[in-house]
């Protein structure tokens, strides 16, 4: 989706798709353009937005063509990101890459949003999982570490902090489960021919809000949990730095080589 001139505003996309035949839903096209963000570039298939005469449309683009040759999909460079290092992101160019139109012509955004919605749900689940891991580490440490004559977990102020961490973790898990239920229900409703059921409307709004909130809270939750381990929480061995999306290695190539 994302191009230099517009990430949030994907309608500003300039990548173009030219029909190899009559064109239309399910037809073959050639894609020409640049994408400023393309995560997981090692994937076998990509969903790509490109302009057609009917407007922005969605295309399924394989990395390898059916005859075994490489599609005209070129990685310009990998992004050097703040975190999220286990998921590579790249900048790519499409030099008349082969793709097949998915969904209706001009309906690219609603088509690709089906995939984006699931990715957002995954972000909510991943954030809830990270919070749960942080709570496990913090409560375990506090249950075994003694300071000033009592275990940390029995110190009133520490108990407050741990309770806050637990409540937020539980809330994030409940939100993720409730959202996942809405996905199941919305899918069943769609199969029954509905397109504006309660579950479908809830899913549409709650996915975006839930992703925003859980992802926004996850780093704050992680650093609060990290502090419960004292100095050890700041040390990579504890696992806590990784949970606030820090790379597990320094950024320089020299250090990585070691
Ligand atoms: C780790 C990572 C992986 C990514 N992977 C992919 C990928 O695989 N595929 C892909 O297509 N994209 C990917 N992206 C890109 C991401 O989708 C875009 O960065 C995002 O859509 C924002 O677009 P932008 O960077 O152009 O920012 P802009 O659209 O320029 O926005 C900049 C800021 O302005 C705010 N803003 C925008 N519009 C308004 C408005 N109307 N009112 C008020 N504020 C506004 C935004 O919220 C943001 O804070 C990835 C990004 C990251 C960080």
């Amino acid at each position: 989706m994302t191009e230099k001139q517009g990430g949030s505003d994907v309608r500003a996309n300039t990548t173009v798709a030219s029909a190899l035949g009559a064109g239309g839903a399910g037809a073959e096209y050639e894609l020409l353009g640049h994408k400023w963000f393309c995560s997981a570039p090692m994937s076998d298939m990509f969903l790509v937005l490109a302009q057609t005469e009917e407007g922005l449309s969605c295309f399924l683009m394989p990395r390898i063509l059916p005859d075994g040759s490489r599609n005209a999909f070129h990685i310009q460079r990998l992004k050097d990101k703040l975190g999220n290092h286990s998921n590579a992101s790249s900048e790519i160019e499409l030099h008349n890459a082969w793709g097949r139109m998915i969904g209706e012509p001009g309906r690219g955004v609603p088509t690709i949003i089906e995939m984006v919605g699931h990715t957002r749900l995954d972000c909510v689940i991943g954030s809830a999982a990270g919070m749960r891991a942080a709570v496990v580490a913090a409560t375990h440490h506090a249950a075994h570490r003694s300071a000033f004559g009592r275990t940390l977990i029995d110190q009133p102020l520490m108990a407050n902090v741990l309770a806050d961490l637990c409540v937020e973790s539980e809330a994030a898990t409940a939100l993720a489960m409730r959202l996942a239920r809405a996905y199941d229900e919305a899918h069943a409703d769609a199969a029954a021919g509905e397109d504006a059921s309660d579950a479908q409307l809830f899913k549409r709004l709650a996915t975006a809000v839930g992703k925003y909130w859980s992802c926004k809270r996850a780093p704050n939750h992680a650093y609060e949990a990290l502090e419960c381990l004292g100095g050890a929480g700041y040390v990579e061995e504890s696992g806590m730095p990784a949970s606030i999306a820090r790379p597990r290695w320094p950024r320089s190539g020299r250090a990585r080589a070691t």
Side-chain angles (χ1 to χ4, degrees), residues 48-183:
V48 181
L49 287 184
Q51 300 286 355
T52 61
E53 285 175 9
E54 298 88 352
L56 209 52
S57 304
C58 184
F59 297 87
L60 186 67
M61 182 188 75
R63 196 159 48 85
I64 307 290
L65 294 170
D67 68 4
S69 62
R70 293 181 64 106
N71 207 350
F73 156 88
H74 303 297
I75 299 172
Q76 304 301 296
R77 64 169 182 161
L78 296 180
K79 301 280 200 191
D80 185 9
K81 295 180 292 184
L82 180 153
N84 190 229
H85 279 244
S86 51
N87 169 39
S89 296
S90 64
E91 295 162 23
I92 60 160
E93 281 187 4
L94 308 176
H95 296 154
N96 291 327
W98 181 90
R100 190 178 289 285
M101 188 185 285
I102 302 291
E104 296 301 315
R107 300 287 297 159
V109 174
T111 303
I112 207 165
I113 284 291
E114 279 290 306
M115 177 274 291
V116 172
H118 283 84
T119 308
R120 288 175 175 163
L121 172 64
D122 199 39
C123 292
V124 176
I125 295 168
S127 297
M131 288 189 199
R132 172 73 185 156
V135 159
V136 168
T139 52
H140 178 81
H141 183 84
H144 295 278
R145 174 78 166 175
S146 294
F148 301 98
R150 279 196 272 184
T151 52
L152 282 175
I153 207 164
D154 291 322
Q155 297 285 2
L157 289 178
M158 179 60 91
N160 282 352
V161 171
L162 293 172
D164 281 348
L165 290 173
C166 291
V167 167
E168 187 148 24
S169 166
E170 289 284 322
T173 303
L175 173 64
M177 294 296 171
R178 178 65 187 84
L179 259 180
R181 185 180 118 198
Y183 272 72

Side-chain angles (χ1 to χ4, degrees), residues 1-4 6-9 37-39 81 84 87 89:
M1 290 180 286
T2 306
E3 298 185 8
K4 282 177 185 157
S8 310
D9 184 10
F37 256 104
C38 173
S39 291
K81 295 180 292 184
N84 190 229
N87 169 39
S89 296

